Amino acid sequence: MHNPDFWNDIEKANYLNKELTLLKKETSTYNNLNKEVEANKEVLELLELEYSEELAAELENELKHLSTNIDDLEIATLLNGEYASSDCYLEIHPGAGGTESCDWANMLLRMYQRFCDKMNYKYELIEQQSGEEAGIKSATLHIKGEYAYGYLKCESGVHRLVRISPFDSNKRRHTSFASVSVVPEIDKNINIEIKDEDIRIDVYCASGHGGQGVNTTPSAVRITHYPSKIVVTCQNERSQLQNKEQAMKVLKGKLYRLEAERKEKELASLKGINTGIDFGSQIRSYVLEPYTLVKDTRSNFEMGDADKVLDGDIKPFIDSILKLK
């Protein structure tokens, strides 16, 4: 960073500056925890020489606080995969089931937005298609924050909801499914080859809410990648050029994720194991009737307060998956 030419490439400089900030935070956390451990050891030695109920109670509170922070540090050490510190795109699609599944997809969208608020992540809804009666047919969030991809990649898969349907006049219990896909935001400098002949770019007028010009001019962009059959859309930006750039970023992330999944399956096959947590499998169940329970099928971690989970309290589930891996 002391190089006089450092800021000539603003994008690369910002990337390195972000990396430096993360490294400083990690080392600072580690050093501070070490100091706390040493300080508590000294208090313990004082208690062994002369017992004090007040000092013992103070030490017990300090140890609870220290234990929580060490657990957080342990989770941080597990966020070490490729692109773990990157921003990401989170995409939601309802499964079969019409209005029920569309409404469930919308509930998941709200859950992830609340999670981002709790984590101090910035997010932007870059694409959304409303359901015919309620909910959404699809939605894509662009999420920015420390280890956004590292945490949220654990959410890729199928999410299952069991509840009394608000759309059923007979008040019967329904099961709905929605899929979540998370891909990292790929840095421009990383070479992921996309040939011009392998893609088709369509432009159209954006649907839904929009400002002046957004819904009246063909600013929305859809990119179809023939070899992988991946389709990406972006419609939140005012200009066609900005939407195309954003859509290409999402496409690159999806192609990276596709290759990473292929390698994971290949490795699992060589090891003779079946993880059962590939994209497309049911990863979590949210039961609201006849009892309330949210359970992750991979780690078996569960919480009885389903409302709290649907209000964005999903970090304990993510932590359980990171520890499992």
Side-chain angles (χ1 to χ4, degrees):
M1 289 180 72
H2 289 296
N3 189 319
D5 300 327
F6 179 75
W7 291 103
N8 288 353
D9 186 339
I10 296 294
E11 193 167 333
K12 187 178 179 182
N14 286 334
Y15 178 81
L16 289 171
N17 202 34
K18 178 184 173 183
E19 188 178 8
L20 177 64
T21 302
L22 284 172
L23 290 171
K24 279 183 174 179
K25 185 178 178 182
E26 286 176 8
T27 53
S28 173
T29 301
Y30 177 78
N31 290 332
N32 288 337
L33 285 173
N34 264 331
K35 287 175 184 175
E36 285 184 47
V37 169
E38 292 304 318
N40 285 318
K41 280 183 181 178
E42 290 175 10
V43 174
L44 189 60
E45 288 170 6
L46 285 173
L47 283 170
E48 286 172 348
L49 291 172
E50 185 179 348
Y51 184 76
S52 162
E53 204 167 297
E54 187 181 343
L55 195 59
E58 191 180 316
L59 179 63
E60 192 174 345
N61 287 331
E62 282 292 323
L63 289 178
K64 285 178 183 176
H65 173 72
L66 186 60
S67 178
T68 301
N69 288 340
I70 288 174
D71 283 344
D72 289 342
L73 181 64
E74 181 192 5
I75 294 298
T77 66
L78 302 173
L79 297 166
N80 55 5
E82 193 175 16
Y83 301 117
S85 62
S86 298
D87 300 332
C88 68
Y89 297 94
L90 184 145
E91 199 172 294
I92 303 170
H93 290 278
T99 303
E100 278 292 331
S101 292
C102 288
D103 188 53
W104 171 223
N106 197 40
M107 289 168 67
L108 284 174
L109 175 61
R110 179 187 177 276
M111 182 182 81
Y112 289 119
Q113 288 172 326
R114 295 294 178 274
F115 171 73
C116 289
D117 292 336
K118 291 176 189 292
M119 296 289 287
N120 293 319
Y121 287 167
K122 292 179 180 177
Y123 61 87
E124 182 183 9
L125 190 62
I126 65 169
E127 180 271 332
Q128 179 178 324
Q129 290 186 52
S130 299
E132 290 174 9
E133 293 180 41
I136 55 171
K137 287 183 178 178
S138 71
T140 304
L141 284 173
H142 184 200
I143 301 171
K144 298 181 179 182
E146 288 183 8
Y147 296 105
Y149 178 64
Y151 279 116
L152 284 162
K153 69 177 180 179
C154 300
E155 293 298 294
S156 286
V158 173
H159 296 246
R160 170 178 173 260
L161 173 71
V162 180
R163 65 170 175 173
I164 299 294
S165 170
F167 306 101
D168 188 337
S169 57
N170 295 317
K171 301 297 179 186
R172 290 172 295 189
R173 195 168 59 178
H174 284 248
T175 300
S176 307
F177 296 90
S179 67
V180 174
S181 173
V182 183
V183 298
E185 182 174 14
I186 304 296
D187 185 78
K188 276 185 179 177
N189 299 315
I190 295 166
N191 184 31
I192 291 182
E193 188 181 7
I194 299 175
K195 296 176 182 176
D196 290 340
E197 61 266 27
D198 286 344
I199 61 173
R200 187 183 80 226
I201 300 175
D202 299 308
V203 295
Y204 56 97
C205 292
S207 59
H209 302 292
Q212 184 180 0
V214 173
N215 295 351
T216 56
T217 58
S219 59
V221 173
R222 181 190 298 113
I223 300 178
T224 304
H225 185 253
Y226 294 123
S228 65
K229 297 182 174 62
I230 290 173
V231 179
V232 174
T233 60
C234 184
Q235 63 179 39
N236 71 306
E237 302 292 349
R238 287 184 176 275
S239 83
Q240 189 185 114
L241 190 63
Q242 287 174 311
N243 279 324
K244 181 183 174 184
E245 190 176 331
Q246 187 80 274
M248 285 298 287
K249 282 185 180 180
V250 179
L251 178 58
K252 281 187 175 184
K254 287 194 171 191
L255 289 173
Y256 159 76
R257 183 65 188 158
L258 199 67
E259 180 62 16
E261 284 175 358
R262 186 191 66 77
K263 287 180 179 177
E264 284 170 13
K265 285 179 182 176
E266 194 176 274
L267 189 61
S269 176
L270 289 170
K271 289 181 177 179
I273 59 173
N274 180 13
T275 59
I277 59 171
D278 299 329
F279 180 79
S281 64
Q282 181 182 309
I283 64 164
R284 193 175 302 145
S285 290
Y286 306 72
V287 181
L288 307 184
E289 291 288 344
Y291 53 86
T292 59
L293 180 73
V294 180
K295 183 173 182 178
D296 199 288
T297 57
R298 299 161 296 178
S299 64
N300 289 324
F301 181 83
E302 58 185 48
M303 285 176 66
D305 192 343
D307 288 339
K308 190 177 179 183
V309 176
L310 291 171
D311 205 33
D313 191 18
I314 59 171
K315 192 170 181 295
F317 290 94
I318 292 172
D319 290 350
S320 72
I321 298 305
L322 289 170
K323 287 180 179 179
L324 179 70
K325 288 185 176 181

